[in-house]
Amino acid sequence: MSNGRFGVHGGQYIPETLMKTVIELEQAYEFYKNDENFNKELEELLNNYANRPSRLYYAKRMTENLGGAKIYLKREDLNHTGAHKINNVLGQVLLAKKMGKTRVIAETGAGQHGVATATAAALMGMECVVFMGQEDIERQALNVYRMRLLGATVNSVTSGTATLKDAVSETMREWTKRMDDTHYVLGSVMGPHPFPMMVRDFQAVISKEIKQQILELEGRLPTAVLACVGGGSNAIGTFYHFIEDKEVRLIGCEAAGRGVNTAQTAATIATGSLGIFHGMKSYFCQDEYGQIAPVYSISAGLDYPGIGPEHADLYDQKRAEYVAITDDEAVEAFEYLSRMEGIIPAIESAHAIAQVMKIAGTMDKEDILVVTVSGRGDKDCAQIARYKGEEIYE
Amino acid sequence: MSKISDVFKKGKAFIPFVTCGDPSLMITRELIYAMSEAGADIIELGIPFSDPTAEGPVIQEANKRALATGVTTDKVFEMLETVSVDTPLVFMTYANVLFSYGIERFVIRAKEVGIQGIILPDIPYEEKEEFEVECQKHGVDFISLIAPNSKERTQMIAKQAEGFVYCVSSLGVTGVRTTIQTNLDEMIQTIKQYTDTPCAIGFGISAPDQAKAMSQISDGVIVGSAIVKLCQEHKENCVPYIKDYVLAMKNAIK
């Protein structure tokens, strides 16, 4: 069996054409992750360009209003480009540059990963092509414009359901055509090894900071850390440095769409089964014959039929809990955080806020919840307005 | 080991591909007989998958059309139960189709309906054991692919090759190409240093002159997208067109 296993999950289920490239990537990453200069350069980029460390903000009004656990927000929405995605992208694009690549390609759902990739490519003088499902292009028009402004080419993907999963497939196809000068900047902790491990390492900065910050502020570890999960990169970043701290609950919030009992859902742990897709063995929403399901969520970023292999393993080990949050609950949380704390979260992040709203009140005042606000909600305003029956012009 | 390797002893092999259920399983059945009569040496049958990441647009669309008619793995097996041809049949599909069915259950069922080889484009050497073990147990060849950039990987793949080696003519996904630029001659010579398993070239071949050129440097030629295009164009009337095409291609490589 190949490298890159998390329990039974992970692996490298890709065409032979790509094997040489991912092996080279793995070797380069193994080298650079221990390279002092690389780490210094990356840290410089994260701090001076991406605006790290991000704040750990005590949500006083929310805490008082929900009347239970103390709530802290990890403000990844304050990063440059407005989401956690930049952490991973700066790492990968810097690595690609060291490997001598001149061109990067990426898939994007909500557009945050595409914007981050286009940004890093502009910063480092590389050509950038982003693949995005036609349906997502329509619901995330602002991010499409941002990518173009940053000099990227945005390719519309019309195959399949024209959403994130098809954008991933199309980017993989593009990569098999041209890998000598091109790096695929995968946006989440998924795909073939080394991506799930490498993206996790780049996102682990989130939990590293949370740990430091909460110890400074409270002198103890949180009761639970929470994050939304599509592929699961901000969640694994939020969990990583707490995995060994068994007393800290890890809670991932999946997109249930219109409900886990309907066909319009993207909750992989709740409704999926073990399968092989997009280069990895993990849990996927699929039918009995292994056909990948056309999933649905109000959030383009969580609208993915799989989950990263490390999450699948954390679930198997019962180390992390995964809960399903519906569109309605997420929209309610979106509005709640906006009014309560003056923070408009990405609709993805609102899924995690919704879970906090469910559990905080049932907990003790001694309990501490840390929830990652993975991105800001500017991109979602028009869509939420439409969801609420209001037409606004962007 | 199956009879697949023996086919190549008779001369250069022509290997056509169709997607099961495009336009219908009834037509797929007719196509198997028609292609066999027209001289196909091995027939590659695609079991449709929702997200065929190694395919170009033509075969992607065929997968979509077939699934839209309600084709399932079980229905493909049921159709094949009614087929009896001398031409060896192999499956081309994706790992998840076997995995979800249960790998052993799939292989046993495939063997029962006359399948002699399985090609999974998303299973590289490093991941093949889980699939190959069951294939070997039940006498079905697990067919390996070698790509133009396999280079130093060629030896380890070739040494364990069964049935035939699927030599990928160029980088990228399946689909018709006007020119095939890869240095295939060298690639095949390298493979032949490590195995006696025959080498067939696929990806991008559509015209008889291309097939002829490819057959001169290999043991056989695989054609997919060009045939699937005929299914797309002629729908339920596609059988005679594809039969003529297979005849022409077989003659070109004789």
Side-chain angles (χ1 to χ4, degrees):
Chain A
M1 249 198 265
S2 74
N3 287 329
R5 293 277 161 181
F6 301 93
V8 299
H9 307 279
Q12 292 177 304
Y13 298 89
I14 47 170
E16 170 60 22
T17 315
L18 280 178
M19 279 307 293
K20 195 164 174 272
T21 308
V22 298
I23 290 169
E24 280 169 4
L25 177 63
E26 184 190 350
Q27 288 166 346
Y29 181 61
E30 288 296 335
F31 174 79
Y32 283 110
K33 80 174 179 188
N34 300 313
D35 180 62
E36 206 179 313
N37 287 333
F38 178 84
N39 286 316
K40 228 170 103 183
E41 247 178 280
L42 180 58
E43 198 181 310
E44 181 90 4
L45 284 169
L46 289 171
N47 294 347
N48 293 334
Y49 187 70
N51 203 32
R52 298 210 72 87
S54 71
R55 295 282 171 172
L56 186 67
Y57 166 76
Y58 171 51
K60 185 162 176 276
R61 285 192 12 102
M62 205 173 153
T63 300
E64 282 167 7
N65 180 263
L66 295 172
K70 221 170 171 182
I71 299 159
Y72 283 90
L73 306 178
K74 180 60 174 166
R75 300 289 308 277
E76 292 298 301
D77 59 315
L78 296 179
N79 293 343
H80 179 53
T81 73
H84 72 291
K85 295 289 186 187
I86 195 78
N87 306 331
N88 163 44
V89 166
L90 286 173
Q92 281 199 51
V93 177
L94 186 64
L95 180 66
K97 186 127 190 161
K98 300 272 180 212
M99 291 176 73
K101 310 276 175 179
T102 55
R103 181 173 176 263
V104 289
I105 55 174
E107 86 294 338
T108 197
Q112 291 304 109
H113 176 60
V115 168
T117 307
T119 300
L123 179 69
M124 297 186 220
M126 292 172 100
E127 191 191 335
C128 178
V129 180
V130 178
F131 292 84
M132 191 169 182
Q134 181 55 40
E135 193 183 317
D136 292 337
I137 284 181
E138 283 161 23
R139 54 181 173 172
Q140 298 291 351
L142 183 61
N143 272 342
V144 175
Y145 186 74
R146 291 168 78 195
M147 285 181 256
R148 291 195 173 128
L149 206 55
L150 291 160
T153 305
V154 180
N155 284 346
S156 163
V157 176
T158 53
S159 60
T161 50
T163 58
L164 182 54
K165 117 183 128 89
D166 308 290
V168 174
S169 298
E170 214 47 51
T171 319
M172 282 176 78
R173 289 185 182 110
E174 172 67 21
W175 206 23
T176 61
K177 279 181 216 161
R178 188 169 159 185
M179 62 278 277
D180 278 353
D181 67 345
T182 299
H183 173 68
Y184 176 6
V185 185
L186 229 151
S188 196
V189 283
M190 42 161 287
H193 177 69
F195 285 104
M197 173 194 81
M198 180 173 72
V199 177
R200 176 255 277 154
D201 289 350
F202 288 138
Q203 292 294 1
V205 65
I206 302 174
S207 52
K208 192 178 160 197
E209 288 176 8
I210 294 175
K211 205 166 189 175
Q212 247 165 21
Q213 291 165 324
I214 201 75
L215 286 173
E216 266 169 41
L217 290 163
E218 296 280 352
R220 60 200 160 105
L221 294 179
T223 312
V225 291
L226 298 94
C228 63
V229 180
S233 70
N234 95 84
I236 210 76
T238 303
F239 296 171
Y240 187 66
H241 288 279
F242 295 106
I243 291 176
E244 300 303 323
D245 301 312
K246 304 285 186 214
E247 70 274 25
V248 179
R249 284 171 66 191
L250 313 175
I251 306 175
C253 308
E254 299 190 301
R258 303 215 159 90
V260 292
N261 299 319
T262 72
Q264 287 175 304
T265 182
T268 307
I269 293 288
T271 66
S273 55
L274 191 61
I276 296 168
F277 183 48
H278 278 162
M280 58 186 175
K281 189 180 273 183
S282 189
Y283 292 111
F284 297 97
C285 300
Q286 55 183 329
D287 73 8
E288 60 171 309
Y289 290 105
Q291 307 295 345
I292 304 301
V295 293
Y296 161 83
S297 160
I298 188 171
S299 70
L302 303 183
D303 199 352
Y304 182 73
I307 189 165
E310 193 166 5
H311 283 293
D313 184 48
L314 288 174
Y315 172 73
D316 286 352
Q317 290 181 39
K318 299 190 165 47
R319 176 64 191 95
E321 307 154 51
Y322 294 87
V323 296
I325 301 293
T326 64
D327 285 358
D328 284 349
E329 290 168 333
V331 170
E332 196 193 326
F334 181 89
E335 294 181 327
Y336 178 82
L337 191 65
S338 303
R339 288 189 187 151
M340 196 55 68
E341 297 286 350
I343 296 168
I344 304 174
I347 186 66
E348 288 79 14
S349 319
H351 285 72
I353 301 296
Q355 181 63 14
V356 170
M357 289 165 68
K358 284 186 186 180
I359 63 172
T362 69
M363 298 172 84
D364 204 80
K365 291 209 185 306
E366 298 303 307
D367 287 323
I368 299 169
L369 295 179
V370 177
V371 56
T372 296
V373 180
S374 57
R376 65 177 184 228
D378 310 27
K379 67 180 174 52
D380 299 310
C381 287
Q383 210 203 343
I384 299 294
R386 280 195 295 276
Y387 188 83
K388 304 287 285 185
E390 195 180 335
E391 196 59 49
I392 61 169
Y393 296 94
E394 285 182 85
Chain B
M1 286 289 259
S2 76
K3 301 181 290 186
I4 293 178
S5 311
D6 297 341
V7 167
F8 295 85
K9 290 178 189 152
K10 294 182 289 183
K12 306 288 182 180
F14 181 67
I15 309 174
F17 166 92
V18 292
T19 301
C20 292
D22 174 36
S24 70
L25 281 174
M26 226 167 65
I27 300 288
T28 304
R29 186 176 182 278
E30 285 179 40
L31 281 171
I32 295 170
Y33 281 106
M35 293 191 294
S36 176
E37 280 165 31
D41 297 287
I42 295 170
I43 295 173
E44 211 184 295
L45 298 168
I47 303 179
F49 180 53
S50 53
D51 300 84
T53 48
E55 314 294 348
V58 172
I59 297 180
Q60 275 182 58
E61 285 301 313
N63 279 264
K64 205 165 142 184
R65 285 195 299 273
L67 289 171
T69 69
V71 171
T72 64
T73 309
D74 277 319
K75 285 181 184 170
V76 170
F77 286 141
E78 283 160 28
M79 177 272 290
L80 287 174
E81 271 173 348
T82 72
V83 171
S84 165
V85 286
D86 289 332
T87 314
L89 305 176
V90 299
F91 272 147
M92 204 300 295
T93 189
Y94 285 77
N96 205 36
V97 170
L98 271 74
F99 187 77
S100 64
Y101 201 84
I103 299 170
E104 177 162 36
R105 180 171 164 241
F106 182 98
V107 173
I108 290 172
R109 198 77 180 94
K111 180 77 185 178
E112 274 170 15
V113 300
I115 293 293
Q116 301 197 26
I118 294 175
I119 304 166
L120 301 175
D122 55 346
I123 295 296
Y125 180 86
E126 282 78 355
E127 303 289 357
K128 76 181 169 125
E129 193 184 337
E130 188 177 2
F131 296 87
E132 195 184 47
V133 162
E134 298 303 334
C135 286
Q136 282 172 346
K137 204 167 18 164
H138 299 283
V140 173
D141 287 332
F142 188 81
I143 293 162
S144 298
L145 291 94
I146 292 181
N149 59 356
S150 293
K151 309 276 180 204
E152 60 273 20
R153 296 170 52 80
T154 303
Q155 179 176 354
M156 71 178 188
I157 302 171
K159 276 188 165 166
Q160 293 188 9
E162 300 170 352
F164 64 88
V165 179
Y166 193 128
C167 302
V168 176
S169 73
S170 38
L171 300 178
V173 292
T174 57
V176 171
R177 288 170 177 79
T178 41
T179 50
I180 293 169
Q181 288 169 335
T182 312
N183 196 348
L184 284 163
D185 209 352
E186 198 185 303
M187 177 176 156
I188 286 165
Q189 279 172 26
T190 310
I191 299 170
K192 297 237 175 244
Q193 286 173 27
Y194 305 109
T195 183
D196 295 330
T197 309
C199 294
I201 302 176
F203 277 42
I205 302 162
S206 60
D209 57 330
Q210 270 178 329
K212 187 173 181 186
M214 291 297 114
S215 69
Q216 280 162 356
I217 56 169
S218 70
D219 305 303
V221 174
I222 306 161
V223 173
S225 295
I227 294 172
V228 173
K229 242 183 190 161
L230 292 171
C231 291
Q232 185 187 343
E233 273 167 33
H234 301 286
K235 301 186 178 68
E236 39 294 315
N237 304 317
C238 66
V239 180
Y241 293 94
I242 291 172
K243 190 172 181 178
D244 285 352
Y245 178 86
V246 172
L247 211 58
M249 292 296 272
K250 178 69 191 172
N251 283 332
I253 66 169
K254 257 180 190 165

